[in-house]
Each structure stands twice: as structure tokens, then as C-alpha cells.
Coordinates of all heavy atoms in Angstrom, one line a residue:
M1 N -1.9 19.8 -15.4 CA -1.8 18.5 -16.1 C -2.7 17.5 -15.2 O -2.4 17.3 -14.0 CB -0.3 18.0 -16.1 CG -0.2 16.6 -16.5 SD 1.6 16.1 -16.4 CE 1.8 15.4 -18.0
T2 N -3.6 16.9 -15.8 CA -4.5 15.9 -15.1 C -3.9 14.4 -15.4 O -3.7 14.2 -16.6 CB -5.9 15.9 -15.6 OG1 -6.4 17.3 -15.4 CG2 -6.8 15.0 -14.9
H3 N -3.7 13.7 -14.4 CA -3.2 12.4 -14.5 C -4.3 11.4 -14.7 O -5.4 11.5 -14.0 CB -2.3 12.0 -13.4 CG -1.1 12.9 -13.3 ND1 0.1 12.6 -14.1 CD2 -0.8 14.0 -12.6 CE1 0.9 13.5 -13.9 NE2 0.5 14.4 -13.0
Q4 N -4.0 10.4 -15.5 CA -5.0 9.4 -15.7 C -4.7 8.1 -14.9 O -5.6 7.3 -14.8 CB -5.1 9.0 -17.2 CG -5.5 10.1 -18.1 CD -6.9 10.6 -17.8 OE1 -7.8 9.9 -17.6 NE2 -7.1 11.9 -17.7
E5 N -3.5 8.0 -14.5 CA -3.1 6.9 -13.7 C -2.3 7.2 -12.5 O -1.5 8.2 -12.6 CB -2.2 5.9 -14.6 CG -1.9 4.5 -14.1 CD -1.4 3.6 -15.1 OE1 -0.4 4.1 -15.8 OE2 -1.8 2.5 -15.1
Y6 N -2.4 6.5 -11.5 CA -1.7 6.7 -10.2 C -1.0 5.5 -9.7 O -1.4 4.4 -10.0 CB -2.7 7.2 -9.1 CG -3.3 8.5 -9.6 CD1 -4.5 8.5 -10.3 CD2 -2.7 9.7 -9.2 CE1 -5.1 9.7 -10.8 CE2 -3.3 10.9 -9.6 CZ -4.5 10.9 -10.4 OH -5.1 12.1 -10.8
L7 N 0.0 5.7 -8.8 CA 0.6 4.6 -8.2 C 0.1 4.6 -6.7 O 0.4 5.5 -6.0 CB 2.2 4.7 -8.3 CG 2.9 3.6 -7.5 CD1 2.7 2.2 -8.2 CD2 4.4 3.9 -7.4
L8 N -0.5 3.5 -6.4 CA -1.0 3.4 -5.0 C 0.0 2.5 -4.2 O 0.3 1.4 -4.7 CB -2.4 2.8 -4.9 CG -2.9 2.4 -3.5 CD1 -3.1 3.7 -2.7 CD2 -4.2 1.7 -3.6
T9 N 0.5 3.0 -3.1 CA 1.4 2.2 -2.2 C 0.8 2.1 -0.9 O 0.3 3.0 -0.3 CB 2.8 3.0 -2.1 OG1 3.4 3.3 -3.3 CG2 3.7 2.3 -1.2
L10 N 0.9 0.9 -0.4 CA 0.3 0.5 0.9 C 1.4 -0.1 1.7 O 2.1 -1.0 1.2 CB -0.9 -0.5 0.7 CG -2.0 -0.1 -0.2 CD1 -2.8 -1.4 -0.7 CD2 -3.0 0.8 0.6
N11 N 1.5 0.3 3.0 CA 2.3 -0.4 3.9 C 1.4 -1.1 4.9 O 0.6 -0.4 5.6 CB 3.2 0.6 4.7 CG 4.5 0.9 4.0 OD1 4.8 0.3 2.9 ND2 5.3 1.6 4.5
V12 N 1.5 -2.4 5.0 CA 0.5 -3.3 5.7 C 1.3 -4.1 6.8 O 2.3 -4.7 6.5 CB -0.2 -4.2 4.7 CG1 -1.1 -5.2 5.3 CG2 -0.8 -3.4 3.5
P13 N 0.6 -4.2 8.0 CA 1.2 -5.1 9.0 C 1.3 -6.6 8.4 O 0.3 -7.0 7.7 CB 0.2 -5.0 10.2 CG -0.4 -3.7 10.0 CD -0.5 -3.5 8.5
P14 N 2.4 -7.3 8.7 CA 2.5 -8.6 8.1 C 1.3 -9.6 8.4 O 1.0 -10.4 7.6 CB 3.8 -9.2 8.8 CG 4.5 -8.0 9.1 CD 3.5 -6.9 9.4
S15 N 0.6 -9.3 9.5 CA -0.5 -10.2 9.9 C -1.7 -10.0 9.0 O -2.6 -10.8 8.8 CB -1.0 -9.9 11.3 OG -1.4 -8.5 11.5
L16 N -1.7 -8.9 8.2 CA -2.8 -8.7 7.2 C -2.4 -8.9 5.8 O -3.2 -8.7 4.9 CB -3.2 -7.2 7.4 CG -3.8 -6.8 8.7 CD1 -4.2 -5.3 8.7 CD2 -5.1 -7.6 9.0
E17 N -1.2 -9.5 5.6 CA -0.7 -9.6 4.2 C -1.7 -10.5 3.3 O -2.1 -10.1 2.3 CB 0.6 -10.4 4.2 CG 1.2 -10.6 2.8 CD 2.6 -11.2 2.8 OE1 3.1 -11.6 3.9 OE2 3.1 -11.3 1.7
E18 N -2.1 -11.6 3.9 CA -3.0 -12.5 3.0 C -4.4 -11.9 2.8 O -4.9 -12.0 1.7 CB -3.1 -13.9 3.7 CG -1.8 -14.7 3.7 CD -1.3 -14.9 2.3 OE1 -2.0 -15.1 1.4 OE2 0.0 -14.7 2.2
S19 N -4.9 -11.1 3.9 CA -6.2 -10.5 3.6 C -6.1 -9.5 2.6 O -7.0 -9.3 1.7 CB -6.6 -9.9 5.0 OG -6.9 -10.9 5.9
M20 N -5.0 -8.7 2.6 CA -4.8 -7.7 1.6 C -4.6 -8.2 0.2 O -5.1 -7.7 -0.8 CB -3.6 -6.8 1.9 CG -3.3 -5.6 1.0 SD -4.8 -4.4 1.0 CE -4.6 -3.7 2.6
V21 N -3.8 -9.3 0.1 CA -3.7 -10.0 -1.2 C -5.1 -10.4 -1.8 O -5.4 -10.1 -2.9 CB -2.8 -11.3 -1.1 CG1 -2.9 -12.1 -2.4 CG2 -1.3 -10.8 -0.9
D22 N -5.9 -11.0 -1.0 CA -7.2 -11.5 -1.3 C -8.1 -10.3 -1.8 O -8.7 -10.3 -2.9 CB -7.9 -12.2 -0.3 CG -7.4 -13.5 0.1 OD1 -6.5 -14.1 -0.7 OD2 -7.6 -14.1 1.2
C23 N -8.0 -9.2 -1.0 CA -8.8 -8.0 -1.3 C -8.4 -7.4 -2.7 O -9.2 -7.1 -3.6 CB -8.7 -7.0 -0.2 SG -9.7 -5.5 -0.5
L24 N -7.0 -7.2 -2.9 CA -6.5 -6.6 -4.1 C -6.8 -7.5 -5.3 O -7.0 -7.0 -6.4 CB -5.1 -6.3 -3.9 CG -4.8 -5.2 -2.9 CD1 -3.2 -5.0 -2.7 CD2 -5.5 -3.8 -3.1
L25 N -6.7 -8.8 -5.2 CA -7.0 -9.7 -6.3 C -8.4 -9.5 -6.8 O -8.6 -9.6 -8.0 CB -6.7 -11.1 -5.9 CG -5.2 -11.5 -5.9 CD1 -5.0 -12.9 -5.3 CD2 -4.5 -11.4 -7.3
L26 N -9.2 -9.3 -5.9 CA -10.7 -9.1 -6.2 C -11.0 -7.7 -6.9 O -11.7 -7.6 -7.8 CB -11.6 -9.2 -5.0 CG -11.8 -10.6 -4.5 CD1 -12.6 -10.6 -3.2 CD2 -12.4 -11.5 -5.5
L27 N -10.2 -6.7 -6.4 CA -10.6 -5.3 -6.7 C -9.6 -4.8 -7.9 O -10.1 -3.9 -8.7 CB -10.3 -4.3 -5.5 CG -11.4 -4.6 -4.4 CD1 -11.1 -3.7 -3.2 CD2 -12.8 -4.3 -4.9
E28 N -8.4 -5.1 -7.9 CA -7.4 -4.6 -8.9 C -6.8 -5.6 -9.7 O -5.7 -6.1 -9.4 CB -6.4 -3.8 -8.0 CG -5.2 -3.1 -8.9 CD -5.7 -2.5 -10.2 OE1 -6.7 -1.8 -10.1 OE2 -5.0 -2.7 -11.2
S29 N -7.6 -6.0 -10.8 CA -7.0 -7.0 -11.6 C -6.5 -6.5 -13.0 O -5.9 -7.2 -13.8 CB -8.1 -8.1 -11.9 OG -9.3 -7.4 -12.5
A30 N -6.7 -5.2 -13.2 CA -6.4 -4.6 -14.6 C -4.8 -4.7 -14.8 O -4.4 -5.2 -15.9 CB -6.9 -3.2 -14.6
H31 N -4.1 -4.4 -13.8 CA -2.6 -4.3 -14.0 C -1.9 -5.2 -13.1 O -0.6 -5.3 -13.1 CB -2.1 -2.9 -13.9 CG -2.7 -1.9 -14.8 ND1 -2.5 -2.0 -16.2 CD2 -3.5 -0.8 -14.6 CE1 -3.1 -1.0 -16.8 NE2 -3.8 -0.3 -15.9
G32 N -2.6 -5.8 -12.1 CA -1.9 -6.6 -11.0 C -1.2 -5.6 -10.0 O -1.4 -4.4 -10.1
F33 N -0.4 -6.3 -9.2 CA 0.3 -5.5 -8.1 C 1.6 -6.2 -7.7 O 1.7 -7.4 -8.0 CB -0.7 -5.2 -6.9 CG -1.2 -6.5 -6.2 CD1 -0.5 -7.1 -5.3 CD2 -2.5 -7.0 -6.7 CE1 -1.1 -8.2 -4.7 CE2 -3.0 -8.0 -6.2 CZ -2.3 -8.7 -5.1
S34 N 2.4 -5.5 -7.0 CA 3.6 -6.0 -6.5 C 3.6 -6.0 -4.9 O 2.9 -5.0 -4.4 CB 4.8 -5.3 -7.0 OG 5.0 -5.3 -8.4
S35 N 4.2 -6.9 -4.3 CA 4.4 -6.9 -2.9 C 5.8 -7.3 -2.4 O 6.3 -8.2 -3.1 CB 3.3 -7.8 -2.2 OG 3.5 -9.1 -2.4
F36 N 6.2 -6.7 -1.4 CA 7.5 -7.0 -0.9 C 7.7 -6.6 0.5 O 7.1 -5.7 1.0 CB 8.7 -6.4 -1.8 CG 8.4 -5.0 -2.1 CD1 9.0 -4.0 -1.4 CD2 7.6 -4.6 -3.3 CE1 8.8 -2.6 -1.7 CE2 7.4 -3.3 -3.6 CZ 8.0 -2.3 -2.8
P37 N 8.6 -7.3 1.3 CA 8.8 -6.9 2.7 C 9.6 -5.5 2.7 O 10.5 -5.2 2.0 CB 9.6 -8.0 3.3 CG 10.3 -8.6 2.1 CD 9.4 -8.4 0.9
V38 N 9.3 -4.7 3.7 CA 10.0 -3.4 4.0 C 10.1 -3.2 5.5 O 9.4 -3.8 6.3 CB 9.3 -2.2 3.4 CG1 9.2 -2.3 1.9 CG2 7.9 -2.0 3.9
N39 N 11.0 -2.4 5.9 CA 11.1 -2.0 7.2 C 10.7 -0.6 7.3 O 11.2 0.3 6.6 CB 12.6 -2.0 7.7 CG 13.1 -3.4 7.9 OD1 12.4 -4.3 8.5 ND2 14.2 -3.7 7.4
A40 N 9.7 -0.3 8.2 CA 9.2 1.1 8.4 C 9.9 1.7 9.6 O 10.2 1.1 10.6 CB 7.7 1.1 8.6
H41 N 10.3 2.9 9.4 CA 11.0 3.7 10.5 C 10.3 4.9 10.8 O 9.9 5.7 9.8 CB 12.4 4.1 9.9 CG 13.2 3.0 9.5 ND1 14.1 2.3 10.3 CD2 13.3 2.4 8.2 CE1 14.6 1.2 9.6 NE2 14.2 1.3 8.4
H42 N 10.0 5.2 12.0 CA 9.3 6.4 12.5 C 9.7 6.8 13.8 O 10.0 6.0 14.7 CB 7.7 6.0 12.4 CG 6.9 7.3 12.4 ND1 6.5 8.0 13.4 CD2 6.4 7.9 11.3 CE1 5.8 9.0 13.1 NE2 5.7 9.0 11.7
H43 N 9.7 8.1 14.1 CA 10.1 8.6 15.4 C 9.1 8.3 16.5 O 9.4 8.3 17.7 CB 10.3 10.1 15.4 CG 9.1 10.9 15.1 ND1 8.6 11.1 13.9 CD2 8.3 11.6 16.0 CE1 7.5 11.9 14.0 NE2 7.3 12.2 15.3
E44 N 7.8 8.0 16.2 CA 6.8 7.6 17.2 C 6.9 6.1 17.4 O 7.1 5.3 16.5 CB 5.4 7.9 16.7 CG 5.1 9.4 16.6 CD 3.7 9.8 16.2 OE1 2.8 8.9 16.3 OE2 3.5 10.9 15.9
N45 N 6.7 5.7 18.7 CA 6.8 4.3 19.0 C 5.5 3.6 19.2 O 5.4 2.5 19.7 CB 7.6 4.1 20.3 CG 9.1 4.3 20.1 OD1 9.6 4.2 19.0 ND2 9.8 4.7 21.2
K46 N 4.4 4.3 18.7 CA 3.1 3.7 18.9 C 2.9 2.4 18.2 O 3.3 2.3 17.0 CB 2.0 4.7 18.6 CG 1.9 5.0 17.2 CD 0.8 6.0 16.9 CE 0.6 6.2 15.4 NZ -0.4 7.1 15.0
G47 N 2.4 1.4 18.8 CA 2.2 0.1 18.2 C 3.5 -0.8 17.9 O 3.4 -1.9 17.4
L48 N 4.6 -0.4 18.4 CA 5.8 -1.1 18.2 C 6.1 -2.1 19.4 O 5.9 -1.6 20.5 CB 7.1 -0.2 18.0 CG 7.4 0.3 16.6 CD1 6.3 1.1 16.1 CD2 8.6 1.1 16.7
S49 N 6.5 -3.3 19.0 CA 7.0 -4.1 20.1 C 8.2 -3.6 20.7 O 8.9 -2.8 20.2 CB 7.2 -5.6 19.6 OG 8.3 -5.6 18.7
L50 N 8.7 -4.2 21.9 CA 9.9 -3.8 22.5 C 11.0 -4.0 21.6 O 11.9 -3.1 21.4 CB 10.1 -4.5 23.9 CG 11.3 -4.1 24.7 CD1 11.2 -2.7 25.0 CD2 11.3 -5.0 25.9
A51 N 11.1 -5.1 20.9 CA 12.2 -5.4 20.0 C 12.2 -4.4 18.8 O 13.3 -3.9 18.4 CB 12.0 -6.9 19.4
E52 N 11.0 -4.0 18.3 CA 11.0 -3.0 17.2 C 11.4 -1.7 17.8 O 12.1 -1.0 17.0 CB 9.6 -2.9 16.7 CG 9.1 -4.2 15.9 CD 7.7 -4.2 15.6 OE1 6.9 -3.5 16.3 OE2 7.3 -4.9 14.7
Q53 N 11.1 -1.4 19.0 CA 11.6 -0.1 19.6 C 13.0 -0.1 19.8 O 13.7 0.9 19.4 CB 11.0 0.1 21.0 CG 9.4 0.4 20.9 CD 8.9 0.6 22.3 OE1 9.4 1.1 23.2 NE2 7.6 0.0 22.5
V54 N 13.7 -1.1 20.1 CA 15.1 -1.2 20.2 C 15.8 -1.2 18.9 O 16.8 -0.5 18.8 CB 15.5 -2.5 21.0 CG1 17.0 -2.7 21.0 CG2 15.1 -2.5 22.4
S55 N 15.3 -1.9 17.9 CA 15.9 -1.9 16.6 C 15.6 -0.7 15.7 O 16.3 -0.3 14.7 CB 15.5 -3.2 15.8 OG 14.1 -3.0 15.4
G56 N 14.5 0.0 16.1 CA 14.1 1.3 15.4 C 13.4 1.0 14.1 O 13.3 1.9 13.2
R57 N 12.9 -0.2 13.9 CA 12.2 -0.5 12.6 C 11.0 -1.4 12.9 O 11.1 -2.2 13.9 CB 13.2 -1.1 11.6 CG 13.6 -2.5 12.0 CD 14.7 -2.9 11.2 NE 15.9 -2.2 11.7 CZ 17.1 -2.4 11.3 NH1 17.5 -3.1 10.4 NH2 18.1 -1.6 11.9
Q58 N 10.0 -1.4 12.1 CA 8.9 -2.2 12.2 C 8.7 -2.9 10.8 O 8.7 -2.3 9.8 CB 7.7 -1.4 12.5 CG 6.5 -2.2 12.7 CD 5.3 -1.3 13.3 OE1 5.2 -0.2 12.8 NE2 4.4 -1.8 14.1
K59 N 8.5 -4.2 10.9 CA 8.4 -5.0 9.6 C 7.0 -4.7 9.0 O 6.0 -4.7 9.8 CB 8.5 -6.5 9.8 CG 10.0 -6.8 10.2 CD 10.2 -8.3 10.2 CE 11.6 -8.7 10.6 NZ 12.6 -8.0 9.9
K60 N 6.9 -4.5 7.8 CA 5.7 -4.3 7.0 C 5.7 -5.0 5.7 O 6.8 -5.4 5.2 CB 5.5 -2.7 6.8 CG 5.3 -1.8 8.0 CD 4.0 -1.9 8.5 CE 3.8 -0.9 9.6 NZ 2.5 -0.8 10.2
V61 N 4.6 -5.1 5.0 CA 4.6 -5.6 3.7 C 4.1 -4.5 2.8 O 3.1 -3.9 3.1 CB 3.7 -6.8 3.5 CG1 3.7 -7.3 2.1 CG2 4.1 -8.0 4.4
R62 N 4.9 -4.1 1.8 CA 4.4 -3.0 0.9 C 3.8 -3.6 -0.4 O 4.3 -4.5 -1.0 CB 5.6 -2.2 0.5 CG 5.3 -1.0 -0.4 CD 6.4 -0.1 -0.6 NE 6.5 0.7 0.7 CZ 7.5 1.5 0.9 NH1 8.4 1.8 0.0 NH2 7.6 2.1 2.1
F63 N 2.7 -3.0 -0.7 CA 2.0 -3.3 -2.0 C 2.1 -2.1 -2.8 O 1.8 -1.0 -2.4 CB 0.5 -3.7 -1.7 CG 0.3 -5.0 -1.0 CD1 0.4 -5.1 0.4 CD2 0.1 -6.1 -1.6 CE1 0.2 -6.2 1.1 CE2 0.0 -7.4 -0.9 CZ 0.0 -7.4 0.4
Q64 N 2.3 -2.3 -4.1 CA 2.2 -1.1 -5.1 C 1.5 -1.6 -6.3 O 1.7 -2.7 -6.8 CB 3.7 -0.7 -5.5 CG 4.4 -0.1 -4.3 CD 5.7 0.5 -4.8 OE1 6.5 -0.2 -5.4 NE2 6.0 1.7 -4.4
M65 N 0.7 -0.7 -6.8 CA -0.1 -1.0 -8.0 C -0.5 0.3 -8.7 O -0.8 1.3 -8.2 CB -1.3 -1.8 -7.6 CG -2.4 -1.0 -7.0 SD -3.2 -1.9 -5.7 CE -1.9 -2.2 -4.5
P66 N -0.4 0.2 -10.1 CA -0.9 1.3 -10.9 C -2.4 1.2 -11.0 O -3.0 0.1 -11.0 CB -0.3 1.1 -12.3 CG -0.1 -0.4 -12.3 CD 0.2 -0.8 -11.0
V67 N -3.1 2.3 -10.7 CA -4.6 2.4 -10.8 C -5.1 3.5 -11.6 O -4.5 4.6 -11.4 CB -5.1 2.5 -9.3 CG1 -6.6 2.5 -9.3 CG2 -4.5 1.4 -8.4
N68 N -6.0 3.3 -12.4 CA -6.6 4.5 -13.1 C -7.4 5.4 -12.2 O -7.7 5.0 -11.1 CB -7.3 4.1 -14.4 CG -8.7 3.3 -14.0 OD1 -9.3 3.6 -12.9 ND2 -9.1 2.5 -14.9
A69 N -7.6 6.6 -12.7 CA -8.3 7.6 -11.8 C -9.7 7.1 -11.3 O -10.0 7.4 -10.2 CB -8.4 9.0 -12.6
E70 N -10.4 6.5 -12.1 CA -11.7 6.0 -11.7 C -11.6 4.9 -10.7 O -12.3 4.9 -9.7 CB -12.5 5.5 -12.9 CG -12.9 6.5 -14.0 CD -13.5 5.9 -15.2 OE1 -13.6 4.6 -15.2 OE2 -13.7 6.6 -16.2
G71 N -10.7 4.0 -10.9 CA -10.6 2.8 -10.0 C -10.0 3.2 -8.6 O -10.2 2.5 -7.6
L72 N -9.2 4.3 -8.5 CA -8.6 4.8 -7.3 C -9.6 5.0 -6.3 O -9.4 4.5 -5.1 CB -7.6 5.9 -7.6 CG -6.9 6.5 -6.4 CD1 -6.0 5.5 -5.8 CD2 -6.2 7.8 -6.7
A73 N -10.6 5.8 -6.6 CA -11.6 6.2 -5.5 C -12.3 4.9 -5.1 O -12.5 4.8 -3.9 CB -12.6 7.2 -6.1
V74 N -12.7 4.1 -5.9 CA -13.4 2.8 -5.6 C -12.5 1.9 -4.6 O -12.9 1.4 -3.6 CB -13.8 2.0 -6.9 CG1 -14.3 0.7 -6.5 CG2 -14.8 2.8 -7.6
L75 N -11.2 1.8 -5.1 CA -10.3 0.9 -4.3 C -10.0 1.6 -2.9 O -10.1 0.8 -1.9 CB -9.0 0.9 -5.1 CG -7.9 0.0 -4.5 CD1 -8.3 -1.4 -4.2 CD2 -6.7 -0.1 -5.4
L76 N -9.8 2.8 -2.8 CA -9.6 3.4 -1.5 C -10.7 3.3 -0.6 O -10.6 3.1 0.6 CB -9.1 4.9 -1.7 CG -7.7 5.1 -2.2 CD1 -7.4 6.6 -2.3 CD2 -6.7 4.5 -1.3
T77 N -12.0 3.5 -1.2 CA -13.2 3.4 -0.4 C -13.3 2.0 0.2 O -13.6 1.9 1.3 CB -14.4 3.7 -1.2 OG1 -14.3 5.1 -1.6 CG2 -15.7 3.6 -0.4
R78 N -13.1 1.0 -0.6 CA -13.2 -0.3 -0.2 C -12.1 -0.7 0.9 O -12.4 -1.3 1.9 CB -13.1 -1.3 -1.3 CG -13.1 -2.7 -1.0 CD -14.5 -3.2 -0.4 NE -14.5 -4.6 0.0 CZ -14.9 -5.5 -0.9 NH1 -15.2 -5.3 -2.1 NH2 -14.9 -6.8 -0.4
L79 N -10.9 -0.2 0.6 CA -9.8 -0.5 1.6 C -10.1 0.2 2.9 O -9.8 -0.4 4.0 CB -8.5 0.0 1.1 CG -7.9 -0.8 -0.1 CD1 -6.7 -0.2 -0.7 CD2 -7.6 -2.2 0.2
K80 N -10.6 1.4 2.9 CA -10.9 2.2 4.1 C -12.0 1.4 4.9 O -12.0 1.5 6.1 CB -11.3 3.6 3.8 CG -10.1 4.4 3.4 CD -10.5 5.8 3.1 CE -9.3 6.6 2.5 NZ -9.6 7.9 2.1
Q81 N -12.9 0.8 4.2 CA -14.0 0.0 4.8 C -13.4 -1.3 5.5 O -13.7 -1.7 6.6 CB -15.1 -0.3 3.9 CG -15.9 0.9 3.5 CD -16.9 0.5 2.3 OE1 -16.9 -0.6 1.8 NE2 -17.8 1.5 2.0
D82 N -12.7 -2.0 4.6 CA -12.3 -3.4 5.0 C -11.1 -3.4 6.0 O -11.0 -4.3 6.8 CB -11.8 -4.2 3.8 CG -13.0 -4.6 2.9 OD1 -14.2 -4.3 3.2 OD2 -12.7 -5.1 1.8
F83 N -10.4 -2.3 6.0 CA -9.2 -2.3 7.0 C -9.2 -1.1 7.9 O -8.1 -0.7 8.4 CB -7.9 -2.3 6.1 CG -7.7 -3.6 5.2 CD1 -8.2 -3.6 3.9 CD2 -7.1 -4.7 5.8 CE1 -8.1 -4.8 3.2 CE2 -7.0 -5.8 5.1 CZ -7.5 -5.9 3.8
A84 N -10.3 -0.6 8.3 CA -10.4 0.5 9.2 C -9.8 0.1 10.5 O -10.0 -0.9 11.1 CB -11.9 0.9 9.4
G85 N -8.9 1.1 10.9 CA -8.2 0.9 12.2 C -7.1 -0.1 12.2 O -6.6 -0.4 13.3
A86 N -6.8 -0.7 11.1 CA -5.8 -1.8 11.0 C -4.3 -1.3 10.9 O -3.4 -2.1 10.9 CB -6.1 -2.7 9.8
G87 N -4.1 0.1 10.8 CA -2.7 0.6 10.7 C -2.1 0.5 9.4 O -1.0 0.5 9.2
V88 N -2.9 0.4 8.3 CA -2.5 0.4 7.0 C -2.2 1.8 6.5 O -3.1 2.7 6.7 CB -3.5 -0.2 6.0 CG1 -3.1 -0.1 4.6 CG2 -3.7 -1.7 6.4
Q89 N -1.0 2.1 6.1 CA -0.5 3.4 5.7 C -0.7 3.4 4.1 O -0.3 2.3 3.5 CB 0.8 3.8 6.1 CG 1.0 3.8 7.6 CD 2.5 3.9 8.0 OE1 3.3 3.2 7.4 NE2 2.8 4.7 8.9
Y90 N -1.0 4.5 3.5 CA -1.0 4.5 2.0 C -0.6 5.9 1.5 O -0.8 6.9 2.2 CB -2.4 4.1 1.5 CG -3.5 5.2 1.7 CD1 -3.7 6.0 0.6 CD2 -4.2 5.2 2.8 CE1 -4.7 7.0 0.7 CE2 -5.2 6.2 3.0 CZ -5.4 7.1 1.9 OH -6.5 8.0 2.0
W91 N -0.2 6.0 0.3 CA 0.0 7.2 -0.4 C -0.2 7.0 -1.9 O -0.1 5.9 -2.4 CB 1.3 7.9 -0.1 CG 2.6 7.1 -0.2 CD1 3.4 7.1 -1.3 CD2 3.1 6.2 0.7 NE1 4.4 6.2 -1.1 CE2 4.3 5.7 0.2 CE3 2.7 5.7 2.0 CZ2 5.1 4.7 0.8 CZ3 3.5 4.8 2.6 CH2 4.7 4.3 2.1
V92 N -0.6 8.0 -2.5 CA -0.9 8.0 -4.0 C 0.0 9.0 -4.7 O 0.2 10.1 -4.3 CB -2.3 8.4 -4.2 CG1 -2.7 8.4 -5.7 CG2 -3.3 7.5 -3.4
L93 N 0.6 8.5 -5.8 CA 1.5 9.4 -6.6 C 1.0 9.3 -8.1 O 0.6 8.2 -8.6 CB 2.9 8.9 -6.6 CG 3.6 9.0 -5.2 CD1 4.9 8.2 -5.2 CD2 3.8 10.4 -4.7
P94 N 1.2 10.4 -8.8 CA 0.8 10.3 -10.2 C 1.9 9.5 -11.0 O 3.0 9.6 -10.7 CB 0.8 11.8 -10.7 CG 1.7 12.5 -9.7 CD 1.5 11.7 -8.4
V95 N 1.4 8.8 -12.0 CA 2.3 8.1 -12.9 C 2.6 9.0 -14.1 O 1.7 9.3 -14.8 CB 1.7 6.7 -13.4 CG1 2.6 6.0 -14.4 CG2 1.5 5.8 -12.1
I96 N 3.9 9.3 -14.2 CA 4.3 10.2 -15.3 C 4.5 9.4 -16.6 O 4.1 9.9 -17.7 CB 5.7 10.9 -15.0 CG1 5.5 11.6 -13.6 CG2 6.1 11.8 -16.0 CD1 4.4 12.7 -13.5
E97 N 5.1 8.3 -16.4 CA 5.3 7.4 -17.7 C 5.3 6.0 -17.2 O 5.6 5.7 -16.1 CB 6.7 7.7 -18.3 CG 7.0 7.0 -19.5 CD 8.3 7.4 -20.2 OE1 8.8 8.5 -19.8 OE2 8.7 6.6 -21.1
R98 N 4.8 5.1 -18.2 CA 4.7 3.6 -17.9 C 5.1 2.9 -19.2 O 4.8 3.4 -20.2 CB 3.3 3.4 -17.5 CG 3.0 2.0 -17.1 CD 1.4 2.0 -17.0 NE 0.8 1.2 -16.1 CZ 1.0 -0.2 -16.0 NH1 1.8 -0.8 -16.8 NH2 0.3 -0.8 -15.1
G99 N 5.8 1.8 -19.0 CA 6.2 1.0 -20.1 C 6.9 -0.2 -19.8 O 7.0 -0.6 -18.6
E100 N 7.3 -0.9 -20.8 CA 8.1 -2.2 -20.6 C 9.2 -2.1 -21.7 O 9.0 -1.7 -22.8 CB 7.2 -3.4 -20.9 CG 7.8 -4.7 -20.6 CD 6.8 -5.9 -20.7 OE1 5.7 -5.6 -20.3 OE2 7.2 -6.9 -21.1
I101 N 10.4 -2.5 -21.2 CA 11.6 -2.5 -22.0 C 12.1 -4.0 -22.2 O 12.1 -4.8 -21.4 CB 12.7 -1.7 -21.4 CG1 12.2 -0.3 -21.3 CG2 13.9 -1.8 -22.2 CD1 13.1 0.6 -20.6

């Protein structure tokens, strides 16, 4: 089964939230995107402040957006260029169904 649409999820450091919003508004306008605060948990302490190490969580901003197969490659290429080394985590999942109720 070949998917035509994917859900791109990004976990972004809060300091990059506005830059990511600007970038996504320019690149992904077909369906828009959502953003919300999340706590990231990981067994490695790299890049965590002392307070984050003690609490066991790191604040991030999560962005999610549906992207078609063609747009996904373009979007990821641009994000990798613009945010190289910034600690942005991402993953891509196929969209099985989409709608509005």
C-alpha cells in the first residue's frame, strides 16, 4: 500500500518556536499545522539543564502537519538545511484516513 499523505511530527526547542512557525507558514500552507507544548522524556541527559535533569523532562514545542508525498521530501530538505544542528527531532507516519466530523 503506497500512501499519498503523511503526518510529520516535529519536536522543537522552545527557543526555535517562532522560527519554525515562520518556516512552516512559508512551506506548508496546503493543510496548515498544529503546535502545542510537550514534555520530552529520554534516558540520555545530553543538552538538559540541571532542572530538566532533576525533573526528568525537557520542554519542547510539537508541530504536526499532514503533508503529501511530494511535499514531504521538499519540506524535510528545507528543515534539515534551516535547522541543522538545532536538536529538532522529527518522525513521519502514514495517514490512513483523514476527515472532518
Side-chain angles (χ1 to χ4, degrees):
M1 174 185 231
T2 302
H3 293 279
Q4 299 299 315
E5 191 171 45
Y6 297 89
L7 178 66
L8 174 62
T9 299
L10 304 159
N11 273 0
V12 177
S15 62
L16 297 177
E17 179 178 9
E18 293 306 317
S19 296
M20 185 61 72
V21 167
D22 292 344
C23 183
L24 294 178
L25 283 172
L26 288 173
L27 294 174
E28 175 43 41
S29 59
H31 301 295
F33 56 90
S34 299
S35 66
F36 47 95
V38 296
N39 290 313
H41 306 270
H42 199 275
H43 68 279
E44 292 182 15
N45 286 337
K46 67 178 184 178
L48 271 60
S49 69
L50 185 57
E52 290 169 336
Q53 291 178 40
V54 170
S55 69
R57 71 194 75 176
Q58 186 176 35
K59 294 190 181 309
K60 299 278 187 177
V61 179
R62 178 167 292 172
F63 291 85
Q64 290 186 310
M65 71 219 66
V67 183
N68 67 29
E70 294 171 3
L72 179 63
V74 173
L75 182 56
L76 287 176
T77 297
R78 178 67 184 269
L79 291 173
K80 288 176 183 179
Q81 290 173 352
D82 290 359
F83 295 94
V88 174
Q89 299 171 317
Y90 75 93
W91 53 98
V92 178
L93 298 169
V95 173
I96 306 301
E97 183 175 344
R98 184 186 208 306
E100 188 173 322
I101 298 176

